[in-house]
Amino acid sequence: MTRPVILTVDDDPGVSRAVARDLRREYGEHHRIVRAESGPAALEALREIALRGEQVAVILADQRMPRMTGVEFLERAMDLFPRARRVLLTAYADTDAAITAINVVDLDHYLLKPWDPPEEKLYPVVDALLAAWREAPDRPAASIRIVGHRWSSRSYELRDLVARNQLAYEFLRVDEPEGARLLEAAGVGADRLPVVVTADGQALVEPSDGEVVAAAGLATSATQAVYDLVVVGGGPAGLGASVYGGSEGLRTVLVESRATGGQAGTSSRIENYLGFPNGVSGDQLTTRARLQAEKFGTEVITTRTVTALEPRGRARVVRFDDGTEITAHAVVLATGVSYRMLDCPGLDEHTGQGVFYGAAATEASACANQDVYVVGGANSAGQAAMNFSRHARRVVMLVRGPSLEASMSSYLIDQIRANPRIEVRTCTEVVGASGTDHLEKLTLRDRNSGDEETVEASWLFVFIGAAPRTDWLEGVVARDGRGFVLTGSDLPRRPEEKGPPGWEPERDPFHLETSVPGVFAVGDVRAESVKRVASAVGEGAMAVSLVHRWLENG
């Protein structure tokens, strides 16, 4: 196996040699050190590395280069090796450029010159970046190939499924030669799309989600009938509960209906999560958390939909949509929320055909040099707008309210205002959409004047609030009027009673406990919860300590 590359670029030959020397001395045994003395030369080196099928782990670039600045180089390098860790070498006077680069090119770190002694200032940084890269390395050559129509909703769903599960894939259009050849080789007609071809050459025709992830080697069924803890939902709260459940010796299984990470997993950048001063992408955070949970023995099963929860004495039974079930001593509900659908003519028929709910990271590169419309004024919409601005010609944010301040973090508002590619239109809503096989036009209305206009648009991404996924809990656990699960002191009760109606234990419900003893709710699905990644992870961890109290004392 070839050694991963560490590339350094600096237009000063002396500095370039010094950086390469220090890197070679510490990392040369296990990594190939490549140096260049200009941005164009470094890009050419990266292209040759890509053609040879090698991987790039870390890129260090000087900011002040005459033909191409370090930020400009890193932005282009991302297209070739998007998962390589990026470091900017700066002088003290360039710190503003470094901070800007954090937002423009997802910079992982910036180093002030000089970096001597490297044992204190250089090596610890590179060590951390290499460790992070090894946890989520560049995707290898595609192991899954999907053949379908460009604007097919089902083709999009499969691309999103495999991407969010961190599976290497390639999408081939049926109207292109390579896609047509693969269909012919599989003996499948173009009227039976999409087709998924696995690494071993098996052709799955119009497959279900479960068939695709199972063929890729992911678990889709539990290995045991009884567990200490079942966690339903794989967002930050569910992953937090899974990590702590597994690390504290509980036989734990995490059940996720689509892909771990939840809405946070689709975020292009989470910048206010503790311990990541330069931010972290949702998929990076999700991948690390899932690996951590599995390291502690937690089973993770995907593409399984839970349809019922049933108390049986001290046991808690979770039933799936295929009629099978597993039993646990305790259950943590972490099902999160789903984006609300935008209700206006023409949108439903174009969902997945230019209209997307959530960030739809698989579509970002396809928006290159086009206009993108984003509906919503909260953090998720702002993060998506920043991500799409790296590819699109223009990003237009459509906000129903008069400003962003009411629902978006101030740091994100500042980034949006400083981004020349993002336009914010307040007091504006979408009232119509049209197109043939995909979205082509949007009708927008000014909420103050009532004036309408029609604009050409092929891309619309919607972030308009969320609804809890709790219909399957009807009649089992207490919920509020909007469907969020009630817990702890928020549960209805009479003053003289310990808990809600039907409550059996001789104690008050624990803080995160639902109206069913031994069943806990965490994260966005819980009524009155703080809708932030950090609080969701914290609730997941806290729930496990309460599970122990339930198991020990009832």
Side-chain angles (χ1 to χ4, degrees):
M1 180 178 293
T2 58
R3 294 174 296 168
V5 170
I6 299 176
L7 182 140
T8 176
V9 52
D10 195 304
D11 67 307
D12 184 324
V15 174
S16 178
R17 285 192 295 268
V19 177
R21 179 200 62 220
D22 288 342
L23 292 172
R24 192 171 291 112
R25 185 174 63 195
E26 182 72 8
Y27 306 105
E29 182 179 355
H30 301 292
H31 298 80
R32 189 161 73 89
I33 311 302
V34 176
R35 74 178 183 93
E37 295 181 3
S38 72
L43 286 174
E44 184 60 32
L46 288 177
R47 293 188 188 99
E48 292 179 4
I49 292 168
L51 288 174
R52 289 197 295 266
E54 298 180 59
Q55 295 181 329
V56 176
V58 177
I59 301 173
L60 300 93
D62 180 54
Q63 169 60 10
R64 293 192 177 188
M65 295 187 291
R67 297 177 58 188
M68 181 184 294
T69 68
V71 173
E72 291 170 342
F73 162 71
L74 289 173
E75 190 168 13
R76 295 181 62 180
M78 289 172 63
D79 295 332
L80 294 168
F81 292 95
R83 290 178 177 257
R85 304 301 170 176
R86 295 171 285 277
V87 180
L88 195 67
L89 299 175
T90 67
Y92 183 78
D94 295 327
T95 53
D96 286 343
I99 293 171
T100 300
I102 291 172
N103 304 317
V104 175
V105 297
D106 290 343
L107 193 70
D108 292 292
H109 201 91
Y110 69 91
L111 282 173
L112 292 177
K113 297 179 180 179
W115 60 89
D116 290 329
E119 290 78 9
E120 294 181 10
K121 297 183 179 180
L122 177 63
Y123 298 156
V125 171
V126 177
D127 286 344
L129 296 179
L130 287 173
W133 177 82
R134 282 191 292 268
E135 290 180 0
D138 285 337
R139 285 187 174 90
S143 59
I144 293 174
R145 287 172 289 176
I146 302 171
V147 184
H149 293 288
R150 172 66 188 89
W151 295 109
S152 160
S153 298
R154 182 55 183 157
S155 293
Y156 159 71
E157 290 173 356
L158 288 180
R159 297 200 309 274
D160 184 66
L161 173 72
V162 297
R164 292 190 57 195
N165 278 287
Q166 302 296 308
L167 301 174
Y169 81 98
E170 181 181 9
F171 176 64
L172 304 172
R173 288 167 47 177
V174 66
D175 57 352
E176 294 180 338
E178 191 173 352
R181 283 196 297 268
L182 192 60
L183 280 187
E184 184 179 0
V188 179
D191 59 338
R192 302 183 63 196
L193 298 179
V195 171
V196 175
V197 180
T198 64
D200 60 2
Q202 179 185 5
L204 307 177
V205 181
E206 299 175 310
S208 66
D209 290 357
E211 289 173 329
V212 172
V213 299
L218 298 183
T220 59
S221 60
T223 63
Q224 303 177 45
V226 180
Y227 293 85
D228 294 320
L229 175 63
V230 172
V231 180
V232 184
L239 287 167
S242 299
V243 168
Y244 280 86
S247 67
E248 295 183 14
L250 298 178
R251 290 175 299 165
T252 304
V253 60
L254 170 65
V255 182
E256 169 55 46
S257 62
R258 187 159 182 81
T260 52
Q263 287 189 17
T266 68
S267 175
S268 58
R269 200 76 178 168
I270 301 170
E271 296 194 59
N272 55 0
Y273 187 65
L274 185 68
F276 293 89
N278 295 335
V280 61
S281 69
D283 69 334
Q284 288 174 342
L285 187 63
T286 297
T287 299
R288 296 178 186 184
R290 177 171 178 155
L291 289 171
Q292 196 172 14
E294 292 175 330
K295 181 186 77 172
F296 289 123
T298 294
E299 285 185 36
V300 179
I301 60 177
T302 57
T303 63
R304 295 304 302 272
T305 301
V306 177
T307 58
L309 171 66
E310 179 186 347
R312 292 181 189 171
R314 288 273 297 183
R316 304 291 175 256
V317 177
V318 171
R319 188 173 301 115
F320 298 110
D321 55 355
D322 63 356
T324 61
E325 60 185 38
I326 54 177
T327 301
H329 301 302
V331 173
V332 170
L333 304 175
T335 50
V337 293
S338 57
Y339 287 112
R340 290 192 175 94
M341 304 293 283
L342 190 59
D343 185 17
C344 71
L347 284 188
D348 285 352
E349 52 264 44
H350 291 118
T351 299
Q353 303 172 352
V355 177
F356 305 94
Y357 289 85
T362 57
E363 304 302 303
S365 61
C367 301
N369 301 317
Q370 300 181 56
D371 289 348
V372 170
Y373 287 81
V374 175
V375 177
N379 278 9
S380 55
Q383 290 161 350
M386 289 296 298
N387 182 43
F388 288 125
S389 71
R390 289 166 31 194
H391 305 275
R393 175 178 57 210
R394 181 178 64 134
V395 178
V396 182
M397 295 189 67
L398 306 175
V399 184
R400 286 174 56 89
S403 71
L404 295 173
E405 277 75 9
S407 55
M408 187 178 293
S409 298
S410 59
Y411 80 89
L412 195 50
I413 294 175
D414 292 341
Q415 292 177 15
I416 289 171
R417 286 174 175 166
N419 192 319
R421 292 189 179 184
I422 299 179
E423 173 187 339
V424 179
R425 297 183 57 173
T426 57
C427 300
T428 303
E429 59 187 350
V430 178
V431 295
S434 62
T436 51
D437 60 342
H438 66 91
L439 177 68
E440 295 175 351
K441 294 182 180 180
L442 290 174
T443 302
L444 310 180
R445 175 189 294 157
D446 186 306
R447 302 189 72 218
N448 290 329
S449 66
D451 294 340
E452 295 186 359
E453 67 170 312
T454 299
V455 297
E456 293 185 359
S458 297
W459 304 96
L460 179 70
F461 298 88
V462 182
F463 306 81
I464 56 168
R469 305 167 181 170
T470 59
D471 290 346
W472 61 282
L473 294 169
E474 175 70 31
V476 181
V477 301
R479 302 179 297 160
D480 68 10
R482 297 179 298 164
F484 292 93
V485 177
L486 296 168
T487 60
S489 60
D490 292 329
L491 288 166
R493 72 181 78 187
R494 297 188 183 94
E496 68 277 8
E497 294 179 339
K498 287 288 185 181
W503 185 259
E504 296 181 357
E506 291 298 318
R507 59 169 176 82
D508 290 327
F510 298 134
H511 173 55
L512 300 175
E513 198 168 21
T514 70
S515 57
V516 177
V519 176
F520 303 83
V522 296
D524 289 357
V525 75
R526 188 176 70 84
E528 305 302 325
S529 65
V530 178
K531 305 300 189 282
R532 289 291 184 268
V533 174
S535 61
V537 173
E539 287 189 4
M542 184 191 303
V544 172
S545 68
L546 299 177
V547 166
H548 279 292
R549 292 172 64 180
W550 155 253
L551 296 177
E552 293 167 1
N553 304 311

